[in-house]
Amino acid sequence: MGKAERPHSAHYGVRSLSASAAYPSPERRVAQAVDALRHGWPLRIGDGLTLLPIETAAERATQSAQMLVSAARAETLRLGNQRAAAGGHHPVFIRAAEALDVRAALPIADPALDTANPLKGPFKALDLPWLAEAEAAMELARIAGILPAFLVDPDPAGEPVSLEPTDLAAWSAPINLSVATRAHLPIAREEEADIIAFRSANDMREHVALVLGEQTSDRPPLVRLHSECLTGDIFGSLKCDCGPQLDAALAAMSAEAAAGGWGVLLYMRQEGRGIGLINKLRAYRLQDEGVDTLEANQRLGLPEEARDFPLAARMLDLLAVREVRLMTNNLEKVTALENAGVKVIERVPHQLPSNPHNTRYLATKRDRAGHLLT
């Protein structure tokens, strides 16, 4: 058996769609699909065609003239005949003049390679009769942290991992999250602090909450939703304000604890507004070419905002927190928590001074993402 025929689904114990009793749960099918994408193995979503991720494809000799790319990428490729799309993350089905192998297809998928590979095509946009399956593929690519671009019905394909478009809803349900463990953790800002780790069976990311001060039921805590930012939180990047925001939030919660109150910092593993570390760094590279942070995500074919704020509501629920004073200038966080049943009794402004490297970034959050100044 050649490498292209690797029986991925057999490796996972997956059987055909007709073998219902032993077929894995929706959550497990999505987990298997994400793993397959990161390994470069093919997928089949519902009744759609077989899809091979271009960035990670394990079988480099595989070829196809048909590709699935984002609407933003199709626009860059000047496909004027594409159907109007809802946004840059929307899928577009295209066909090249001849079959391309993975190496030739990669510059079509990755905008960072445009300068070195300026000539592409010609391409033609095709009707997309399997829209739900294509949309699921784009979302799976985001979850896997890879470029949202696929060879369609490649030859040779290998045996694909199968799932349904509706499986994603079950996989991402916040109810799947649970507390894994809890420990005392004195930190520089506050010696009286506990750390609580949360885990979902469907996701390798482990989120944490820091509780500063003594948790009480009669005084709503000061709460901050902070999405992981390796470059800002750890390395002190000046391109964003994440590190200063994190430090200022902990300082405010420590002051709250000293006054008899308490605070909760939810540290969520949602790097790059939910697009992952590698794609965030790709976006940084595009920003260096002159686009803003939201435009960079669009050019990558990824959502401008993909963070899961209902996840934060589930974390608070597991901590028995029903009311909060929320530190944020982002009204989407307020709305998301309240829609999930957490009462926001006060929005506490959380704004830090700019520096020469993040002035445009902060202006973009204000002018295009609707963040408040105070």
Side-chain angles (χ1 to χ4, degrees):
M1 178 180 291
K3 287 185 177 180
E5 298 175 347
R6 181 190 295 108
H8 316 312
S9 52
H11 168 74
Y12 287 120
V14 177
R15 299 172 62 184
S16 67
L17 290 174
S18 61
S20 57
Y23 202 62
S25 67
E27 298 94 330
R28 186 175 180 184
R29 290 198 293 268
V30 173
Q32 291 169 355
V34 171
D35 186 54
L37 290 181
R38 292 180 67 89
H39 280 86
W41 298 340
L43 298 182
R44 179 175 291 120
I45 306 175
D47 295 327
L49 302 179
T50 299
L51 302 174
L52 185 72
I54 291 174
E55 180 186 348
T56 58
E59 310 303 339
R60 296 288 170 175
T62 303
Q63 294 186 336
S64 176
Q66 300 178 115
M67 283 166 278
L68 189 70
V69 298
S70 69
R73 193 63 183 144
E75 182 179 355
T76 301
L77 297 172
R78 293 179 170 81
L79 284 172
N81 60 335
Q82 66 167 298
R83 185 175 62 182
H89 192 47
H90 193 87
V92 174
F93 188 23
I94 67 173
R95 184 176 65 222
E98 59 184 18
L100 303 173
D101 62 19
V102 173
R103 182 174 181 178
L106 187 57
I108 300 167
D110 189 351
L113 302 178
D114 283 346
T115 303
N117 300 270
L119 299 178
K120 304 180 183 71
F123 303 104
K124 180 181 180 181
L126 306 174
D127 289 334
L128 185 54
W130 34 281
L131 179 59
E133 291 84 352
E135 290 176 338
M138 305 303 273
E139 180 63 6
L140 286 166
R142 182 196 67 79
I143 294 169
I146 66 172
L147 291 169
F150 300 85
L151 290 180
V152 178
D153 203 17
D155 181 31
E159 186 174 352
V161 171
S162 298
L163 71 160
E164 296 296 321
T166 54
D167 290 345
L168 280 165
W171 182 85
S172 61
I175 195 66
N176 294 319
L177 197 72
S178 61
V179 172
T181 192
R182 180 173 185 146
H184 182 59
L185 183 70
I187 62 174
R189 285 290 185 180
E190 178 59 50
E191 293 186 5
E192 293 303 318
D194 287 349
I195 186 168
I196 300 95
F198 302 83
R199 175 190 291 155
S200 170
N202 304 330
D203 192 349
M204 289 298 292
R205 298 173 302 172
E206 293 162 340
H207 312 279
V208 299
L210 275 176
V211 175
L212 281 65
E214 184 177 351
Q215 181 169 348
T216 61
S217 58
D218 59 346
R219 186 164 179 171
L222 188 62
V223 171
R224 171 70 183 166
L225 278 55
H226 188 89
S227 296
E228 176 186 40
C229 178
L230 175 71
T231 50
D233 299 342
I234 304 300
F235 300 131
S237 167
L238 298 177
K239 290 178 71 74
C240 63
D241 58 346
C242 300
Q245 280 191 335
L246 176 60
D247 191 56
L250 292 175
M253 291 175 188
S254 178
E256 184 76 9
W262 59 300
V264 180
L265 186 131
L266 304 182
Y267 195 87
M268 297 179 290
R269 305 288 301 279
Q270 302 188 128
E271 184 81 53
R273 291 178 172 265
I275 67 173
L277 175 62
I278 291 175
N279 280 328
K280 183 181 88 166
L281 298 183
R282 288 188 173 117
Y284 277 1
R285 182 171 176 174
L286 293 174
Q287 289 170 40
D288 290 339
E289 296 176 7
V291 302
D292 68 33
T293 181
L294 300 184
E295 291 168 341
N297 282 22
Q298 289 177 338
R299 285 185 59 181
L300 289 168
L302 295 164
E304 296 177 359
E305 174 63 86
R307 287 176 290 182
D308 182 1
F309 296 135
L311 174 71
R314 173 61 176 164
M315 294 169 73
L316 291 171
D317 179 59
L318 291 169
L319 294 174
V321 175
R322 310 288 182 249
E323 297 182 345
V324 301
R325 297 166 54 227
L326 187 64
M327 298 185 69
T328 187
N329 287 356
N330 184 354
L331 292 180
E332 286 188 17
K333 292 182 179 181
V334 176
T335 301
L337 288 188
E338 292 193 327
N339 287 345
V342 178
K343 185 176 181 181
V344 180
I345 63 171
E346 180 186 0
R347 184 189 68 82
V348 180
H350 193 51
Q351 184 78 18
L352 280 299
S354 64
N355 67 64
H357 300 276
N358 69 11
T359 301
R360 187 182 183 192
Y361 167 78
L362 296 178
T364 298
K365 289 205 299 183
R366 179 194 67 222
D367 299 337
R368 297 193 57 197
H371 288 215
L372 303 175
L373 290 177
T374 57

